[in-house]
Amino acid sequence: MDHLPAPRTPSVVKLPDGTPAYTDHLPTTYQPTNTAPQVIHVHQAPPDRTVQRLALGSGMGAGAVAAGVYFGPLLVGVLTAIAANLALLALVAAVCAWGVVAVVKSVSDTKTRKRR
């Protein structure tokens, strides 16, 4: 059960200067400019490609796409590391607070016992 399309045999043509070329790589035919522009709905893009499609659609170019591809996962990693550090800091603060409360309760209990 093979779900792949049947392979196409490449067609080779000779260009006017005598060099062979594949027809798959030749430029496409001229398309008139009076046709309506193609509308790409950004909300239908997968979430990890939305920024890239916005960048290409607004004409920003490959720099914005490369920045989105590079800095997107980098930003997620940095935010995850910050969250992990804050969670560890909160754990240390809770343990320290528990220790201080335990010591204060112990000291206050010994003071009330001595007064009696």
Side-chain angles (χ1 to χ4, degrees):
M1 187 186 282
D2 190 15
H3 296 289
L4 295 175
R8 293 185 303 166
T9 57
S11 325
V12 180
V13 295
K14 293 245 183 212
L15 296 177
D17 61 353
T19 58
Y22 291 103
T23 56
D24 292 344
H25 301 288
L26 291 177
T28 58
T29 58
Y30 169 73
Q31 303 215 351
T33 58
N34 59 0
T35 60
Q38 181 184 7
V39 177
I40 298 174
H41 296 285
V42 176
H43 64 276
Q44 294 174 350
D48 59 339
R49 300 281 185 229
T50 303
V51 174
Q52 288 85 354
R53 287 199 181 179
L54 284 173
L56 287 176
S58 63
M60 288 180 171
V65 174
V69 169
Y70 181 75
F71 290 115
L74 191 66
L75 179 63
V76 170
V78 166
L79 292 177
T80 304
I82 291 172
N85 287 340
L86 289 177
L88 184 64
L89 184 63
L91 179 66
V92 168
V95 168
C96 288
W98 175 76
V100 167
V101 168
V103 167
V104 168
K105 280 184 180 180
S106 175
V107 168
S108 67
D109 285 345
T110 57
K111 284 184 179 180
T112 56
R113 286 184 189 162
K114 286 182 180 179
R115 287 184 190 170
R116 289 184 187 174

